[in-house]
Amino acid sequence: MMDDSAKETLAMMALTRVGYYNLTGILDFYKRVGSATAIMQHRKDVREVLPDASPKLVERMRDCEAHIRRAEEEMEWARQHDVRILRYGSDGYPQRLTECADAPLILYYKGTADLNQMRVINIVGTRHCTLYGQDTVRHFIAGLREECGNRVLVVSGLAYGVDIAAHRNALEQGFETVAVLAHGLDDLYPPRHRETAKRMTTQGGLLTEYMTRTNADKMNFVRRNRIVAGMCDATILVESAAHGGGLITCGIAQEYGREVFAFPGNVGQMYSEGCNNLIRKNGATLITSAKDFVESMGWQADKRLERAQKEGIERSMFPDLTPDQQLIVDTLQKTSDLQMNMLSNMTGLPIGKLASLMFELEMKGVARSLPGSVCHLL
């Protein structure tokens, strides 16, 4: 017998399949009704809960029994293979994604990393990575370790070239790293990256919106780029031709209001053209090092925080709080520990801004983030 939470998860899985070709529309439908279970209960008379439902949606909802059965199969497979099913807005779901109009209702996740860490970036670029690109990724991630410790989650797509270089260098530098896949978790593309992916499940994770038995079709790679962009604070482009998936991710990140950075390349080189054009058109901030990136993001305080924690700096040394910081403190004083998404709802502060404010409060010795995205007042 399923409990209410499991029933809602199953309903959201089925609803995702109903709205496969209309990501924005199906998320809006869910938000307006507020419950996938209620939607499924009215699948034969959907206009009872959504009076302006289109004829196409009415037809698809009436014929969704197969989607429900498929969702039941997937839920059992996930249970057997230690895969977490993350519902939109739930604690483990990437909360930055909830700010995006086309966020997936359901994600499948195998891994150990908290997807709502204070610092989340993605590194993307060409599959035909040159030695220059490989060196750029390696130096950037090593520099990021020097500037921020290992307090950053590194996201990419596990593809050839820049993606796999980002994952492998992140692992070597002690960062957690997550791959967003264009297929289900019963397979891996490309197969040559299986050993890296296996290591990532214990030092990061594998994330996808797709059920098992889903082919790695071209369109799936384009769709997954919105997850890569949406779950991160910043997108970093390393080598790209004039057209490519990395540039698509950058464009989506811009639409989401996220920061975009690019490393310049040699003039006339094929895989520098995309980066150079993006910088020239003011579509990305030019960076040449991790230090450039950290300064642009305002993350210079990471080193000071580590030093403050080691030296045991007292809260009383930092008495002044901004209005937003005080709002967080007042909320936590009333309710004790809160998940970051709950604190965001109660304060009205977006997840990205809240993460930065929590970091500032941690610097001041006032609050800290605990495992599981829990905000704790000291």
Side-chain angles (χ1 to χ4, degrees), residues 102 222-223 225-227 229-230 247-258:
D102 55 357
V222 176
R223 283 168 59 114
N225 289 344
R226 81 190 194 286
I227 300 175
L247 286 171
I248 293 174
T249 304
C250 289
I252 296 170
Q254 288 174 324
E255 292 175 4
Y256 289 162
R258 307 297 161 80

Side-chain angles (χ1 to χ4, degrees), residues 5 65 84 140 167 253 277 315:
S5 177
E65 299 301 327
R84 295 173 60 194
F140 175 78
H167 291 308
N277 285 343
R315 173 177 173 176

Side-chain angles (χ1 to χ4, degrees), residues 226-286:
R226 81 190 194 286
I227 300 175
V228 172
M231 67 183 289
C232 298
D233 300 308
T235 292
I236 299 160
L237 184 65
V238 179
E239 286 201 310
S240 173
H243 304 282
L247 286 171
I248 293 174
T249 304
C250 289
I252 296 170
Q254 288 174 324
E255 292 175 4
Y256 289 162
R258 307 297 161 80
E259 300 294 333
V260 178
F261 299 86
F263 280 90
N266 290 335
V267 174
Q269 294 296 314
M270 178 179 181
Y271 295 111
S272 296
E273 190 174 353
C275 290
N276 291 346
N277 285 343
L278 193 65
I279 293 168
R280 179 174 57 83
K281 296 176 181 178
N282 296 318
T285 299
L286 184 153

Side-chain angles (χ1 to χ4, degrees), residues 83 88 93 131 148 167 220 222 236 254 264 326 340 375:
V83 170
Y88 178 90
Y93 188 97
L131 285 175
C148 300
H167 291 308
N220 292 357
V222 176
I236 299 160
Q254 288 174 324
Q326 190 63 55
M340 187 168 288
C375 300

